[in-house]
Amino acid sequence: MKFFIDTANLDQIKEAEDLGILDGVTTNPSLMAKEGISGANNILQHYVNICNIVDGPVSAEVIATDYEGMVKEGEDLAELHSNIVVKVPMTKEGIKAIKYFSTKGIKTNCTLIFSAGQALIAAKAGATYVSPFIGRLDDVSTNGVALIEQIRLIFDNYMFDTQILAASVRHPMHIIECAEIGADVMTGPLSAILALINHPLTDNGLAKFLADYNKLNG
Ligand code: E4P
């Protein structure tokens, strides 16, 4: 399972990269705004800065909502760096743009997926990734992880190359459940990734090992 970090914060991206387990980054306009990145040139430069930290796919989202605008913006984003994946919303215009990008060899991440039908049509259009938002589904009393299971079954039935990118991950159990199902990628906050490392029995065990060592060795 690939691990992407879902942030535009350079310090957090560096921290995850230093751990040695980071495969890529996803951003969205809200995450860019959270870092105070505004203005076309600053936004583009920020994507380049992220690409210079992580040697893996970096999702950069288009703001345009019409086909022509998405194509223009996506082509400009793809020119920035070979790591860029153009993130396109799940709309009719978005599907047309994904089809166009797939014929041009530009990688795409179809975002804001909340149903199996949306994932199926994005895969048919040639999306490199589909991003089902599992946390946001949980927020409205709908099982987000169950959607990953449904999409896995459909993609396996027809051997789609499109990768399932479990997004809107909120906590370590989301990651573990998505890994059990066979999501290709997960994207989440640094806190959810770091939480996988912790276990109280590990802490207690280590403390005991060190105490026993120190008894004899000072
Ligand atoms: C996916 O690419 C999105 O950026 C993201 O995972 C959304 O997560 P949220 O629901 O925590 O905002």
Side-chain angles (χ1 to χ4, degrees):
M1 185 193 218
K2 286 178 226 154
F3 275 31
F4 290 179
I5 188 169
D6 195 30
T7 184
N9 182 286
L10 298 182
D11 290 336
Q12 290 187 13
I13 294 169
K14 274 189 204 117
E15 190 176 339
E17 170 65 16
D18 286 348
L19 260 183
I21 49 80
L22 191 64
D23 299 297
V25 179
T26 51
T27 64
N28 62 40
S30 304
L31 293 170
M32 294 291 275
K34 196 171 162 193
E35 299 308 313
I37 317 292
S38 63
N41 289 342
N42 291 338
I43 290 172
L44 296 182
Q45 184 55 49
H46 200 75
Y47 289 136
V48 173
N49 295 344
I50 294 174
C51 289
N52 287 337
I53 299 173
V54 187
D55 187 18
V58 173
S59 287
E61 189 160 340
V62 297
I63 302 300
T65 53
D66 62 303
Y67 170 74
E68 286 78 13
M70 286 181 186
V71 164
K72 165 86 184 70
E73 219 181 308
E75 285 182 330
D76 289 348
L77 287 168
E79 288 265 301
L80 279 179
H81 198 284
S82 56
N83 288 356
I84 292 286
V85 172
V86 180
K87 207 172 182 189
V88 179
M90 165 40 72
T91 60
K92 208 166 149 192
E93 298 291 289
I95 287 298
K96 281 163 61 183
I98 287 168
K99 182 66 193 181
Y100 170 85
F101 290 132
S102 77
T103 61
K104 297 285 169 192
I106 294 174
K107 293 195 171 115
T108 52
N109 174 357
C110 186
T111 191
L112 292 165
I113 297 264
F114 293 96
S115 76
Q118 291 179 323
L120 176 58
I121 202 157
K124 280 190 70 67
T128 314
Y129 303 94
V130 288
S131 285
F133 278 31
I134 62 174
R136 292 194 194 182
L137 280 169
D138 288 357
D139 290 344
V140 295
S141 311
T142 304
N143 189 338
V145 170
L147 175 60
I148 301 292
E149 206 163 8
Q150 208 182 359
I151 298 171
R152 178 76 284 157
L153 177 66
I154 292 170
F155 282 13
D156 289 351
N157 280 349
Y158 298 101
M159 288 181 288
F160 281 118
D161 289 335
T162 302
Q163 296 183 48
I164 303 174
L165 198 174
S168 185
V169 157
R170 300 273 167 81
H171 50 72
M173 281 313 294
H174 269 157
I175 302 176
I176 293 163
E177 287 166 5
C178 287
E180 283 174 346
I181 292 162
D184 300 287
V185 192
M186 81 81 205
T187 191
L190 182 62
S191 58
I193 296 172
L194 293 180
L196 291 174
I197 296 172
N198 300 329
H199 198 290
L201 291 179
T202 304
D203 298 340
N204 294 348
L206 182 59
K208 176 85 169 77
F209 286 156
L210 294 179
D212 288 343
Y213 173 88
N214 285 331
K215 265 186 226 158
L216 287 186
N217 298 281

